[in-house]
Structure formats: C-alpha cells, structure tokens
Amino acid sequence: MKLAVVAHKKNHKELSEATCCGACRQVMIEFERRQKKAFEVIMLGGDGKWIKAISAASLVPFDFNLEA
C-alpha cells in the first residue's frame, strides 16, 4: 500500500512541496499498527524530487504508543 502527499498553491496547476504534519504522521502510524502492515509514504521535496519513506513509522522516531 502507498500514500502520496501532494499540494498546490491556490490558482496554480503545478505541484508544490508537501510533507505530512506530525499529527497526520501519528494517525498514519496508528493505522499501520491496526492493519499490521506498513505502507510507503511518498512526498514532494523542495528540490522537486520525490521523497519515499518505507513506512509512516520511519517518519516519527518517537511516536506515541500504548506499549511505552
């Protein structure tokens, strides 16, 4: 499974750099845990190159969880 994060400025057609915020990352981590399966997160970086993370959990080194 993959999730792409994209954005564009108002009244512009080209894509702008975009990453997911910390709260969104936490929600994605909780979804991965419930599904027991990681998914790739794809974001557009400031240099116009695509950034691929192997999982949402890899984006937040110290996430909130019930086991801690």
Side-chain angles (χ1 to χ4, degrees):
M1 183 183 332
K2 296 180 184 187
L3 179 129
V5 179
V6 296
H8 65 87
K9 294 179 182 176
K10 188 175 182 178
N11 300 321
H12 294 274
K13 292 184 179 183
E14 61 276 352
L15 294 176
S16 298
E17 63 183 273
T19 61
C20 36
C21 71
C24 292
R25 293 176 188 200
Q26 180 66 35
V27 169
M28 291 188 301
I29 290 168
E30 291 172 15
F31 181 80
E32 283 183 337
R33 286 192 184 126
R34 281 193 302 274
Q35 299 300 313
K36 296 184 171 87
K37 186 174 182 181
F39 56 87
E40 187 176 54
V41 181
I42 304 167
M43 302 166 283
L44 185 59
D47 57 0
K49 294 183 181 177
W50 292 100
I51 301 164
K52 294 181 182 178
I54 59 170
S55 67
S58 70
L59 296 172
V60 182
F62 302 105
D63 63 284
F64 299 101
N65 66 61
L66 297 175
E67 290 94 37

